[in-house]
Amino acid sequence: MVVFLFGIAKDIVGKSELDLSAFERKLNSVEELICFMNDSYPEFSKLSSLAVAVNGEYASNGVLLDSNDEIALIPPVSGG
Amino acid sequence: MQKISIEIVDIIDTSVVYDELSDAASGGICVFLGTVREFTNNETVVSLEFESYKMMALKEMDKIANEALAKWPLNKVVIRHAVGVKKVQEAVVVIGVSAAHRNECFEACRFLIDTLKATVPIWKKEMFKNKSVWVSAHP
């Protein structure tokens, strides 16, 4: 399972995609993914917000992750 | 042109928006252009760099355009955002609507830019002489 990274999330991790299959911890939900990111990269917990998109839609904590989903971290947006 | 035009582009051509929004049924057109400002907190901005999650950004832009169409009787809606490096005074976003009367034009235009800034996955980095900052990233 790959997570796409944008903006400051890309800077924190140091790349634009993170392959989660390289890690032992199994992530079943959006909430678990956010906890994992905060644990693995403490800089994430300093952000104003951190959302997750599943297949191009904002996903709440309880949404379950499937290996076929397109997953992205959405740090605070700042368009315009 | 279709009723809704949504794009993420490398360069914004500010000269085409009137033709895109012009409409026989419309008595007014309202356009908001977002541009690069030279100063943030008295520090000189060299450029802004925009990045998008394009697939999702287009979906979110389409959602807010349709929300605006549901709220106000609009004839045409344009939402266009630039990505890449933008210099001072360059246009980075254009929001435009046309409608029979001005009130719905002003209200819809304001709603579209405010909602875009809150929900559309686009990120802006301010490049100063000696540092760069992702805008709004930290409290």
Side-chain angles (χ1 to χ4, degrees):
Chain A
M1 191 186 292
V2 169
V3 177
F4 293 111
L5 305 164
F6 299 94
I8 197 167
K10 192 170 67 178
D11 286 0
I12 290 172
V13 176
K15 45 191 168 184
S16 57
E17 291 179 17
L18 183 64
D19 186 358
L20 294 176
S21 56
F23 296 87
E24 248 178 54
R25 191 155 140 190
K26 179 88 179 77
L27 303 172
N28 298 306
S29 68
V30 166
E31 187 171 24
E32 288 177 23
L33 172 61
I34 289 175
C35 288
F36 173 78
M37 296 309 298
N38 284 331
D39 290 350
S40 307
Y41 305 90
E43 288 296 310
F44 277 117
S45 53
K46 298 179 187 165
L47 300 181
S48 310
S49 65
L50 183 64
V52 170
V54 177
N55 301 321
E57 302 283 346
Y58 284 105
S60 56
N61 278 344
V63 170
L64 299 178
L65 304 177
D66 183 271
S67 56
N68 296 318
D69 289 332
E70 179 168 320
I71 299 164
L73 286 189
I74 310 290
V77 300
S78 51
Chain B
M1 175 187 131
Q2 300 290 309
K3 197 162 194 170
I4 297 178
S5 174
I6 282 165
E7 272 186 309
I8 290 177
V9 296
D10 292 326
I11 293 171
I12 285 186
D13 179 355
T14 57
S15 71
V16 297
V17 69
Y18 178 79
D19 284 340
E20 290 178 309
L21 293 168
S22 178
D23 181 82
S26 293
I29 292 175
C30 206
V31 174
F32 172 81
L33 279 173
T35 58
V36 180
R37 185 182 56 229
E38 190 175 13
F39 296 103
T40 291
N41 301 327
N42 294 323
E43 287 192 85
T44 305
V45 173
V46 177
S47 60
L48 296 180
E49 193 175 330
F50 289 89
E51 177 179 318
S52 79
Y53 178 17
K54 191 169 184 180
M55 171 274 263
M56 181 179 176
L58 291 170
K59 270 202 220 185
E60 289 294 320
M61 286 155 80
D62 192 61
K63 271 187 210 166
I64 61 177
N66 279 294
E67 271 180 59
L69 283 172
K71 282 174 186 254
W72 294 280
L74 308 174
N75 293 321
K76 286 185 175 169
V77 177
V78 170
I79 306 178
R80 184 172 294 124
H81 205 294
V83 288
V85 176
K86 300 292 150 210
K87 301 285 185 198
V88 173
Q89 287 188 285
E90 267 192 86
V92 300
V93 61
V94 54
I95 305 281
V97 300
S98 61
H101 304 286
R102 70 183 182 285
N103 197 41
E104 50 262 38
C105 286
F106 280 114
E107 287 182 3
C109 205
R110 178 80 199 218
F111 164 83
L112 289 168
I113 184 62
D114 288 353
T115 312
L116 177 146
K117 287 176 85 86
T119 66
V120 176
I122 294 175
W123 297 272
K124 167 167 55 195
K125 196 188 223 177
E126 283 178 327
M127 318 292 281
F128 299 96
K129 279 193 181 114
N130 300 314
K131 62 170 181 176
S132 61
V133 177
W134 286 105
V135 176
S136 305
H138 295 102

